[in-house]
Amino acid sequence: QVQLVESGGGLVRPGDSLTLSCVASGFAFDTFAMRWFRQAPGKERDVVATILTNADMTNYADSVRGRFTISRDNAKNTVYLEMNSLNVDDTAVYYCNAMNRRGGVREYWGQGTQVTVSP
């Protein structure tokens, strides 16, 4: 079965760093672009970062550019999100997403991991 399992969330203080991981199984990971989304309470789910299949291109939301880094290790079927200089506005559930647009969109979602930034 297809699975995307996020981990690494937790409670941190403003200014701290945290790295999220998403381990994929059940599909050809290296043929899918990977994205991290987040959803704060009462807000829409927004894309945070995108990385293409061979990691030659990345995109970031303006709110995280320069602080967050997305990376992938295709040998481990894993995508990472390194988060630095965290602030309270980064508090959200973070979701891992896989997408392949060839011959119609194929898309998979993880269940999410909670990140809370609090003094």
Side-chain angles (χ1 to χ4, degrees):
Q1 72 277 21
V2 171
Q3 285 190 314
L4 294 172
V5 181
E6 302 99 333
S7 63
L11 174 64
V12 296
R13 305 304 185 194
D16 282 353
S17 298
L18 200 62
T19 297
L20 307 181
S21 299
C22 173
V23 179
S25 60
F27 65 98
F29 177 81
D30 59 357
T31 70
F32 280 68
M34 300 297 299
R35 295 183 289 177
W36 286 97
F37 287 74
R38 69 184 182 187
Q39 187 167 23
K43 302 294 185 181
E44 296 181 345
R45 185 177 298 188
D46 294 323
V47 63
V48 174
T50 302
I51 187 166
L52 298 187
T53 56
N54 63 357
D56 60 350
M57 281 192 64
T58 57
N59 289 309
Y60 297 93
D62 289 342
S63 58
V64 308
R65 186 176 293 110
R67 298 189 298 120
F68 290 12
T69 301
I70 188 171
S71 62
R72 66 191 296 162
D73 186 342
N74 287 345
K76 297 181 178 180
N77 286 0
T78 302
V79 62
Y80 305 92
L81 185 67
E82 180 185 349
M83 304 181 293
N84 299 308
S85 301
L86 287 163
N87 57 65
V88 294
D89 292 332
D90 297 316
T91 296
V93 177
Y94 285 72
Y95 297 91
C96 180
N97 170 271
M99 177 178 288
N100 188 320
R101 305 182 75 99
R102 293 178 299 176
V105 175
R106 300 181 67 189
E107 190 171 15
Y108 306 119
W109 291 90
Q111 294 301 305
T113 184
Q114 176 72 47
V115 173
T116 301
V117 185
S118 175

